[in-house]
Amino acid sequence: MDLNIVWFILITVLFTGFFILEGFDYGVGMMMLCRPKNERSQFVRAIGPVWDGNEVWMITAGGATFAAFPHVYATMFSTFYLALFLMLLALIMRGVAFELRGKLKYADWINFWDFGIMFGSFVPALLWGVAVVNLLRGLPINYQMHFTGHFFDLLNPCALLGGVFFVLLFAFHGANFLLIKIADEGLLEDLRRKSLRLGIAALIAYVLFACIAAVETDILAKLSTVIFLGLSIGALIAGCAGAYAGNGCKAFLSSTLGIAFLTVGFFNALFPRLMVSSLSPEWSLNIYNAASTPHTLGLMTIAAAVFVPIVLCYQAWTYKVFKERVTPADVQGH
């Protein structure tokens, strides 16, 4: 196995971790919609200690793409420039909201920053779905690896449905995370019902998306991809069953596996490509024509072997420290 494949696998792992961890962050943020202040405060407390650490996975995935496949990084950021700019604004607002929400006790102040958290969770979830689908569906990329289209090329029905699917999937995942973090039984019962509804809605969107994607992309061309996608659907069904039974741990583990199988299936369908050109298959960016030099990949592999385990251990320790459930008493006055 050459280093190009190794780094494709590593980037797959990083994006899988990102969608799992930041996915429930986004989901919890979206679950704050139309909730009373005390419940919103519990939701913020549930992800408060870990949300910024989860975002590191996105930064690391982007950095790894830049270092290992710089042509992909350049083409991708020019292609999704406006979408990424909107995502960045939403993430900035979300980060600021977490920090400033509790500085003043006025209701309007808290409501404003809670809206910032909701907005900063919904927009990235939607745009990530749109971006992921477009990478596989194909974009007008010419022989010079330049994007020749415009922003509205990204807003095709298939990609928009993928965005809606990601929103529902992350909301389902976030609801399941709250099932293992909230102590209030009354609130938990409501979250179980919401989780089940969101899970069913996500599965419906998944099926609709798969039907369109089967026509507009080659996502089902590989048997291995079909297996991964089948496993993800099975895991999401198990998550709905866990929510129905009131088993938060089963529901959260199942939605975690569902996202993991889905992400691996997507990258498996893409391999060895990284960005598909809709103009000509020969102009697609892949792990060889868009890669850094072997020397660079070798140095990066050594660095990753040293630092990735350290980051994983630190994040595991963080989750262990903040594993206790959140009670209404924990957020009194917030």
Side-chain angles (χ1 to χ4, degrees):
M1 183 184 299
D2 59 35
L3 291 179
N4 302 68
I5 297 177
V6 168
W7 275 94
F8 182 89
I9 293 172
L10 181 57
I11 288 174
T12 301
V13 171
L14 290 172
F15 273 104
T16 301
F18 167 64
F19 286 139
I20 291 172
L21 297 175
E22 194 70 348
F24 73 70
D25 276 353
Y26 293 155
V28 171
M30 290 185 283
M31 288 294 294
M32 293 170 61
L33 182 66
C34 299
R35 290 282 180 174
K37 173 179 169 293
N38 180 265
E39 292 182 3
R40 298 199 307 268
S41 296
Q42 292 181 61
F43 293 177
V44 171
R45 182 67 176 265
I47 60 174
V50 298
W51 72 269
D52 48 355
N54 293 343
E55 284 196 342
V56 170
W57 286 77
M58 177 179 66
I59 298 169
T60 305
T65 303
F66 170 73
F69 305 105
H71 295 295
V72 171
Y73 185 90
T75 305
M76 186 182 299
F77 272 69
S78 61
T79 301
F80 299 116
Y81 181 83
L82 183 56
L84 290 172
F85 177 73
L86 294 174
M87 186 186 297
L88 180 61
L89 288 180
L91 291 175
I92 290 173
M93 186 173 186
R94 179 170 175 264
V96 172
F98 276 115
E99 298 300 326
L100 296 185
R101 180 185 187 274
K103 298 301 182 182
L104 297 176
K105 306 306 177 185
Y106 301 114
D108 289 342
W109 174 271
I110 293 174
N111 291 338
F112 175 78
W113 292 117
D114 283 350
F115 170 79
I117 294 173
M118 289 182 276
F119 176 80
S121 300
F122 170 78
V123 171
L126 178 69
L127 293 179
W128 272 115
V130 170
V132 164
V133 173
N134 275 307
L135 288 178
L136 185 60
R137 182 177 180 270
L139 294 158
I141 300 172
N142 65 17
Y143 69 98
Q144 295 178 312
M145 301 184 183
H146 293 165
F147 175 66
T148 59
H150 51 76
F151 175 73
F152 292 102
D153 289 334
L154 309 178
L155 304 181
N156 54 81
C158 185
L160 289 175
L161 182 56
V164 171
F165 168 52
F166 265 54
V167 167
L168 293 171
L169 179 62
F170 289 160
F172 175 53
H173 193 41
N176 291 338
F177 178 75
L178 291 172
L179 291 179
I180 64 174
K181 286 296 293 181
I182 299 296
D184 184 346
E185 283 298 327
L187 178 55
L188 274 176
E189 186 59 36
D190 181 61
L191 288 172
R192 290 180 188 121
R193 292 193 296 268
K194 291 289 177 60
S195 173
L196 179 59
R197 293 169 187 167
L198 287 167
I200 294 172
L203 282 168
I204 293 172
Y206 197 160
V207 173
L208 292 175
F209 165 70
C211 292
I212 296 178
V215 176
E216 296 199 10
T217 73
D218 59 357
I219 193 170
L220 302 182
K222 299 177 183 176
L223 177 60
S224 53
T225 301
V226 175
I227 292 173
F228 282 125
L229 297 182
L231 288 172
S232 71
I233 292 176
L236 294 179
I237 293 173
C240 291
Y244 179 78
N247 189 333
C249 291
K250 178 182 177 181
F252 181 66
L253 177 60
S254 297
S255 59
T256 296
L257 290 174
I259 293 173
F261 286 132
L262 175 66
T263 309
V264 173
F266 161 76
F267 277 98
N268 185 74
L270 201 57
F271 182 82
R273 303 162 300 176
L274 292 162
M275 294 186 73
V276 176
S277 171
S278 60
L279 302 179
S280 171
E282 297 178 355
W283 297 342
S284 296
L285 281 68
N286 60 51
I287 62 174
Y288 295 105
N289 66 10
S292 293
T293 64
H295 179 69
T296 300
L297 293 177
L299 290 177
M300 288 171 49
T301 302
I302 296 172
V306 174
F307 291 107
V308 169
I310 295 174
V311 173
L312 291 176
C313 290
Y314 171 76
Q315 194 151 32
W317 174 79
T318 302
Y319 278 93
K320 181 179 179 180
V321 169
F322 296 102
K323 66 180 179 180
E324 299 299 326
R325 289 180 178 264
V326 177
T327 67
D330 292 331
V331 296
Q332 286 184 354
H334 294 279

